[in-house]
Amino acid sequence: MKFDVIIIGGGLAGCTAGVALQEAGLRCAIVAEGLSLHECPREKFIELGGTIFPGDRVTGGHIVGRKVKWVETRNLDGTLLEADNFILATGKFFSRGLISNMNEIYEPVFGCDVKYDKNPAKWVSQSFNDSQPFEKFGVITDAVGQVSIQGNTVENLYAAGEILCGERDIVSSALDVAAQIVGR
């Protein structure tokens, strides 16, 4: 199946970007594994003609050179989802957008570069009420929101929302990425 944009993650960031892209005339699909607490953008996305694959998860993708060509999902039985652009909006740890073990933190779909302290003892503050360091860990992007893998920018793979490194507003990061894609 071919779309203009495939959005991986159906939460606030993914749906916000999807609405903006649909309003700009692009044909979009969202692969949404779980439920979102933000149903308003999802309903608007559907109203604008967007396609949602609910209860599904992207299991991997194919990159040629510096571009993602397609992704595959758990439920589509070998059907590939192709697009000109892709947005990674899978959240952080709770939604499994980032995975941690005792030694590392990684992004499981594409293996995007992640910024985090290499010393696991520094991932949390001893005081529960303090801001926790792990909350600022996330996928590294360039100035226009494109991710990198092994230090190389992927030209058509963007990140938005909580998966981002640092503290970024979910909605504005999604709208920024949508504007970048529309402007291409």
Side-chain angles (χ1 to χ4, degrees):
M1 282 185 235
K2 176 80 167 127
F3 296 89
D4 296 315
V5 182
I6 303 278
I7 301 164
I8 305 162
L12 181 57
C15 289
T16 298
V19 166
L21 292 164
Q22 286 286 132
E23 287 176 338
L26 297 176
R27 187 167 171 254
C28 303
I30 293 175
V31 180
E33 182 172 9
L35 297 174
S36 173
L37 299 176
H38 307 283
E39 291 300 323
C40 292
R42 188 177 284 195
E43 291 170 8
K44 180 72 172 175
F45 177 76
I46 294 168
E47 179 183 306
L48 291 167
T51 301
I52 294 187
F53 297 99
D56 204 353
R57 175 172 32 103
V58 171
T59 57
H62 185 68
I63 298 175
V64 175
R66 291 186 169 206
K67 290 190 172 189
V68 178
K69 294 297 183 184
W70 50 261
V71 295
E72 54 191 330
T73 75
R74 177 183 58 204
N75 296 345
L76 289 178
D77 196 30
T79 299
L80 304 178
L81 298 177
E82 300 176 69
D84 298 322
N85 291 285
F86 296 80
I87 299 174
L88 189 61
T90 51
K92 281 197 196 295
F93 301 101
F94 180 72
S95 58
R96 297 185 306 231
L98 294 178
I99 305 290
S100 66
N101 58 38
M102 298 302 287
N103 301 309
E104 68 177 334
I105 297 173
Y106 61 95
E107 185 278 313
V109 176
F110 296 101
C112 298
D113 295 338
V114 176
K115 182 177 180 181
Y116 66 96
D117 194 307
K118 302 300 183 209
N119 180 353
K122 295 184 178 181
W123 293 358
V124 296
S125 171
Q126 295 303 313
S127 175
F128 179 77
N129 293 324
D130 287 350
S131 175
Q132 297 296 322
F134 71 84
E135 294 174 317
K136 294 184 178 147
F137 301 161
V139 169
I140 300 168
T141 59
D142 65 10
V144 297
Q146 295 169 317
V147 305
S148 61
I149 299 173
Q150 296 180 343
N152 297 307
T153 300
V154 182
E155 296 171 4
N156 67 339
L157 177 58
Y158 299 82
E162 288 184 350
I163 196 167
L164 293 170
C165 176
E167 294 181 28
R168 295 275 316 271
D169 178 79
I170 294 171
V171 171
S172 65
S173 70
L175 293 173
D176 289 348
V177 164
Q180 289 297 323
I181 291 171
V182 170
R184 288 183 92 183

